[in-house]
Amino acid sequence: MLDKLTAQAPDALLALIKMHAADPREDKIDLGVGVYRTNEGGTPVFRAIKQAEQRLIDTQDSKSYLGPEGDSGFVKALMPYIFGKDSVLGNRVEGMQTPGGTGAVRLAVSLAAKAGVKRIHLGMPSWPNHAQILDDVGVETVAFDHAKADGTADIDAVLGAIRGAGEADAVLLHGCCHNPTGIDYTAEEWTAIAEAFAETGVLPILDIAYQGLGQGMEEDVEGVRTVLAKVPEALVAYSCDKNFGLYRDRVGAFYMIAREADQVSAIASNANALARANWSMPPDHGGASVRILLEDEGMTRVWLEELDEMRTRMRRVRERLAAADNEAPGLGLAALADQNGLFAMLPLSKDQIASLREDHAIYMAGSGRINVAGLHAGNTEKFIAALSDVTKG
């Protein structure tokens, strides 16, 4: 039976990681792996998380099962940051913990499919796992263009996707810090998107993976809140990987917004059943640490300060790259100043990307995506010089 399986293509990013690790050049630069890096190139555990973990170790008295919904305290503690302290959603929203943002997206798509969704419209390019999850669940992916060549969002394309969607369709949007482009919708564009959802009744699936790393904790979810204030129902996936630094601990949350409060229980019961069949219950340690952090004013203050430091550092890198627009003609570096988060897309050819790797020890995805956080004061000038070299006529 198993001999009928055919080999799958290896993950290109994992291959890139191995190539970078094997490169002996001391000045090599890794812009491929999607994690935050400090000026020293590390990805440390947050100071606030360290404090929360210590308290968890000191006080946790059991590791018994929690159930498919996970740590309800963690789920509730996140809600004011996502939906606002004075959210209008009231009792129409219910949530549950998931194994990372990936688990949340998977659960959102599976629940939508169980409710009758057959097709999901997805702006491209997108996080590669989005399409893989849709395919694995058995939902058709309908692509539309997320961005324009000038480095701004293609608002006409997303509005066209929403207005052209059918009764069995949903639309999946990034909440902020778009992966892989860094191109977000403006406040005015989010308003138009919200109105389109409200007019058509199409189900929004909103993926929030980088809150706090774009413009700020409140600013990064203004668009999501604008949509939720207009629509009768929605699904929201949330990741704590980047903004709590809990990558390998797999910490995420999934929220369901119902038309009426009395429908919430039935919707949540279906999500719980899907979670039970997929992973039984999510891992506890990371979610419990976030709950402890958010319940403590001092730890929360330290965490928000850490996010400010990260966001400010990435903004400085973006501004320096934007200022080098004339040094690497044709790449549109100036637009990076108006984009957000860890990622950006550079219109480099495969030969140029290979030259960056082979001649300059700069490793990046074959799509042209770079992790802005992989750059810092010690290597940004080298990167700009390398871009100038591969783009010179």
Side-chain angles (χ1 to χ4, degrees):
M1 178 65 73
L2 298 181
D3 60 356
K4 296 178 182 178
L5 296 173
T6 58
Q8 299 295 297
D11 188 292
L13 189 55
L14 294 180
L16 193 70
I17 292 171
K18 291 180 180 179
M19 292 170 63
H20 176 267
D23 191 330
R25 289 173 286 188
E26 293 185 359
D27 62 344
K28 60 187 177 182
I29 302 175
D30 176 14
L31 302 181
V33 181
V35 300
Y36 176 78
R37 297 191 188 281
T38 64
N39 262 327
E40 295 69 40
T43 305
V45 179
F46 280 33
R47 299 187 298 274
I49 286 291
K50 280 285 192 183
Q51 295 176 28
E53 287 181 313
Q54 188 59 57
R55 183 174 297 177
L56 177 62
I57 290 170
D58 293 340
T59 60
Q60 189 174 51
D61 57 8
S62 176
K63 292 198 178 282
S64 182
Y65 295 119
L66 291 177
E69 67 275 11
D71 187 327
S72 60
F74 154 77
V75 174
K76 292 177 182 176
L78 281 175
M79 289 176 67
Y81 294 94
I82 303 170
F83 305 114
K85 294 180 180 179
D86 300 315
S87 172
V88 298
L89 298 176
N91 295 326
R92 293 171 48 226
V93 60
E94 182 60 273
M96 57 195 296
Q97 185 184 348
T98 60
T102 302
V105 172
R106 171 78 189 210
L107 197 52
V109 174
S110 296
L111 185 64
K114 193 170 184 180
V117 168
K118 303 296 183 185
R119 307 193 310 167
I120 293 181
H121 298 255
L122 178 65
M124 299 298 284
S126 189
W127 177 50
N129 220 15
H130 275 149
Q132 291 180 177
I133 290 170
L134 268 59
D135 182 64
D136 195 54
V137 173
V139 173
E140 180 185 350
T141 300
V142 181
F144 64 89
D145 292 331
H146 170 68
K148 296 186 290 189
D150 64 359
T152 61
D154 192 334
I155 185 63
D156 292 332
V158 67
L159 292 179
I162 297 170
R163 291 170 179 153
E167 291 183 0
D169 291 4
V171 177
L172 194 163
L173 299 178
H174 299 235
C176 64
C177 303
H178 186 274
N179 179 4
T181 68
I183 299 170
D184 291 338
Y185 298 114
T186 65
E188 293 77 15
E189 289 169 342
W190 274 115
T191 297
I193 289 168
E195 291 173 351
F197 274 124
E199 291 167 3
T200 61
V202 174
L203 177 70
I205 301 176
L206 306 170
D207 186 6
I208 308 170
Y210 306 95
Q211 186 185 8
L213 297 179
Q215 296 293 329
M217 284 296 292
E218 288 293 301
E219 294 89 339
D220 287 351
V221 288
E222 282 183 358
V224 169
R225 292 177 187 174
T226 298
V227 172
L228 297 180
K230 289 275 189 178
V231 300
E233 56 185 4
L235 301 175
V236 176
Y238 192 90
S239 172
C240 296
D241 283 9
K242 309 298 191 300
N243 62 356
F244 287 91
L246 290 165
Y247 306 93
R248 69 177 66 165
D249 282 341
R250 312 311 303 139
V251 185
F254 170 58
Y255 297 92
M256 301 145 276
I257 294 88
R259 290 177 180 272
E260 303 292 343
D262 60 7
Q263 298 171 342
V264 169
S265 178
I267 297 169
S269 71
N270 280 272
N272 283 333
L274 289 166
R276 180 80 172 112
N278 274 281
W279 50 72
S280 183
M281 66 165 283
D284 176 64
H285 181 87
S289 298
V290 171
R291 169 177 49 78
I292 289 171
L293 186 161
L294 294 178
E295 289 175 347
D296 184 284
E297 289 186 10
M299 291 184 198
T300 298
R301 183 169 57 253
V302 172
W303 166 61
L304 292 174
E305 289 172 354
E306 291 180 275
L307 281 181
D308 287 345
E309 294 168 5
M310 294 164 66
R311 187 172 59 251
T312 300
R313 195 187 84 71
M314 288 191 291
R315 186 58 57 189
R316 284 199 300 266
V317 172
R318 286 185 174 277
E319 290 171 353
R320 176 63 189 100
L321 292 176
D325 187 60
N326 291 331
E327 299 175 51
L331 296 185
L333 293 180
L336 269 65
D338 297 320
Q339 298 166 7
N340 298 307
L342 271 72
F343 304 114
M345 288 281 286
L346 302 182
L348 293 162
S349 69
K350 292 187 181 299
D351 288 342
Q352 289 171 323
I353 292 172
S355 177
L356 286 170
R357 182 175 66 248
E358 295 164 5
D359 301 330
H360 301 279
I362 296 172
Y363 290 78
M364 57 188 291
S367 63
R369 187 194 84 165
I370 63 168
N371 177 9
V372 173
L375 295 169
H376 50 73
N379 64 15
T380 302
E381 298 308 315
K382 167 185 165 67
F383 179 61
I384 292 171
L387 289 179
S388 178
D389 180 59
V390 301
T391 57
K392 65 185 178 183

